Amino acid sequence: MKDGGRLTAAIEVLQEVETRHRPVQAALRDWGTAHRFAGSGDRTVIGNLVFDALRNKASLSAVMQSGDPRGLVFATYVKTWEKGLLALEDALAQDRHAPEPLSEQEKKLLSEDAQLRSSPAEAADVPDWLWSRFEASLGENAVTEGQALARRAPVDLRVNTLKSNRDKVLKRLAHTGAKSSSLSPVGIRIEAKPGLGRMPHVQAEEGYQKGWFELQDEASQLAAQLAKAEPGEQVLDYCAGGGGKTLALAASMQNKGQLYAFDADRLRLAPIHERLKRAGIHNIQVRDPASTDLKDLEAQMDLVFIDAPCTGTGVWRRRPDSKWRLSERALEDRIKDQRHVLENAKKYVKNGGRLVYATCSVLREENQSQSEWFLEQNPEFQALSALDIWKELLPEKALPDHVSESGSVMLTPHSTGTDGFFISVFKKQT
């Protein structure tokens, strides 16, 4: 396919997402099924156009004075990808499958000398209704943080220290451009490629098949490390989902002690069994909510880890369509969910044990406000400083910019080069 046809395809997919409110991955998959002549390279470019248009939807809509999919795709090609207006005109003229030629108004809006006036929310690519909360959470850097959340995410890997080490994995992945992560001592990063760039399919690599590494954002790796799961401990991963942090906790425990993986949604737990086998982990019990309860674990755990349900504002780089589907009602529901999870999970912590509360959100309402609420409601718990744990485990690394009075830590794309992630640690007093 030529670029003209790819532009048409991206517009069609965006229209499907907008008009039928479909997840972008599903819309892209269905487009590929219906257009089997498109090669993998074509599908990559089309996907990049669609995802980048969604990442920058507000700022590009300001450029085009409209959120129409055609304008968003054209602005992505010209502005975000820096191809320029002439390249777009050539793409439209040289392919019979291309969209209709540019109107004079579109040419004017896409021209380099077009004057752009945008609001802070548009400049940050944050939904208007959320801007006041976003700004209150991130302060004077809110626009910069929003722009960082609107860029492509790197591919981050966590070395499985039960089977390999970072030097060995780096050597095997040298052809991908993989480098050591800047913060996580077990992390590897493959930087995002711009424009038409295609990321390597690391899950096809021999090292992945052998369990030498897992896909996991660096912030998520750091959250697991700050939990300080020790060999021989009793640990409950209360919202285990697909098991990414469960595997990281197990590696920290060196396969010693007992780790329980639980999630209220049994479907979310489904992938964990294959991942455990591949990673060579033997100290995990998966508790299926449909067939068992956790009564035997009450007041027995040295550590309870909660990766709480949240709005996902910290992972907008990876799920840009979720940014525009988020609503005020959904935020309110997540806040209720988080309090419910905290109140349920606390009963499994033994005296002297720890409770770690984490979210992939950058909103204060889901993060520090929830930590403060929990401490007010549960005086038997006290805050431990995640910042002090950071200093202990990562003494040579730069400190996070976003730290609360109690020492809770928030990571962000702009400040730490990671997904947005919040970590708060509590200890149950004896």
Side-chain angles (χ1 to χ4, degrees), residues 8 11 70 74 88 92-93 95-103 106:
T8 296
I11 292 169
R70 171 184 164 99
F74 287 171
L88 175 60
L92 299 182
D95 189 347
R96 63 187 179 88
H97 300 292
E100 292 294 317
L102 294 170
S103 67
E106 287 173 328

Side-chain angles (χ1 to χ4, degrees), residues 83-354:
K83 302 285 280 187
L85 183 57
L86 289 178
L88 175 60
E89 290 182 304
D90 287 344
L92 299 182
Q94 295 176 9
D95 189 347
R96 63 187 179 88
H97 300 292
E100 292 294 317
L102 294 170
S103 67
E104 290 304 316
Q105 175 68 0
E106 287 173 328
K107 291 179 183 179
K108 179 180 177 182
L109 294 172
L110 289 167
S111 64
E112 292 184 5
D113 58 354
Q115 295 298 311
L116 173 62
R117 294 181 181 179
S118 60
S119 68
E122 289 170 334
D125 277 296
V126 172
D128 283 335
W129 72 267
L130 189 60
W131 176 249
S132 60
R133 291 184 172 94
F134 192 86
E135 186 177 32
S137 300
L138 291 160
E140 62 183 14
N141 288 325
V143 170
T144 304
E145 291 284 11
Q147 290 170 342
L149 280 164
R151 298 191 187 104
R152 292 185 187 178
V155 171
D156 282 347
L157 313 173
R158 179 187 58 81
V159 175
N160 178 14
T161 52
L162 298 175
K163 283 193 168 185
S164 191
N165 60 66
R166 186 153 66 175
D167 287 343
K168 180 178 179 180
V169 176
L170 281 171
K171 184 177 180 180
R172 290 298 184 97
L173 294 178
H175 61 284
T176 68
K179 305 290 183 183
S180 295
S181 297
S182 61
L183 294 173
S184 171
V186 292
I188 288 175
R189 171 162 292 184
I190 303 171
E191 293 290 354
K193 295 177 174 57
L196 282 70
R198 185 176 185 179
M199 297 298 287
H201 182 40
V202 294
Q203 289 165 298
E205 295 286 337
E206 177 189 26
Y208 179 81
Q209 301 296 330
K210 290 184 174 181
W212 295 351
F213 63 84
E214 289 283 335
L215 283 162
Q216 186 177 19
D217 181 76
E218 189 175 13
S220 179
Q221 297 177 39
L222 292 166
Q225 288 169 19
L226 293 177
K228 288 190 68 178
E230 300 285 350
E233 286 191 329
Q234 297 288 304
V235 177
L236 170 62
D237 187 353
Y238 189 70
C239 301
K245 292 177 199 65
T246 315
L247 270 63
L249 293 169
S252 295
M253 296 168 69
Q254 301 173 22
N255 251 341
K256 301 173 183 176
Q258 191 66 59
L259 202 166
Y260 302 89
F262 175 82
D263 198 286
D265 183 350
R266 65 180 308 195
L267 293 178
R268 284 171 50 83
L269 273 172
I272 197 172
H273 299 282
E274 180 184 346
R275 298 179 76 179
L276 292 176
K277 182 178 180 181
R278 188 176 63 245
I281 293 173
H282 312 298
N283 69 328
I284 293 181
Q285 285 188 30
V286 180
R287 292 292 185 94
D288 187 332
S291 59
T292 185
D293 58 38
L294 302 177
K295 284 188 175 296
D296 59 313
L297 305 185
E298 290 184 8
Q300 300 298 312
M301 297 295 103
D302 296 290
L303 167 66
V304 174
F305 190 97
I306 303 172
D307 183 5
C310 69
T311 57
T313 52
V315 294
W316 279 347
R317 300 187 302 175
R318 304 179 191 279
R319 304 172 191 167
D321 55 329
S322 69
K323 183 191 311 190
W324 310 110
R325 293 201 308 267
L326 182 61
S327 67
E328 194 158 6
R329 174 62 182 274
L331 173 58
E332 293 170 357
D333 288 345
R334 294 294 80 74
I335 290 171
K336 292 177 184 177
D337 292 341
Q338 290 154 7
R339 294 188 175 186
H340 178 74
V341 167
L342 278 164
E343 283 296 290
N344 278 314
K346 71 178 184 182
K347 62 188 176 186
Y348 303 107
V349 183
K350 74 178 188 181
N351 289 338
R354 308 179 310 286

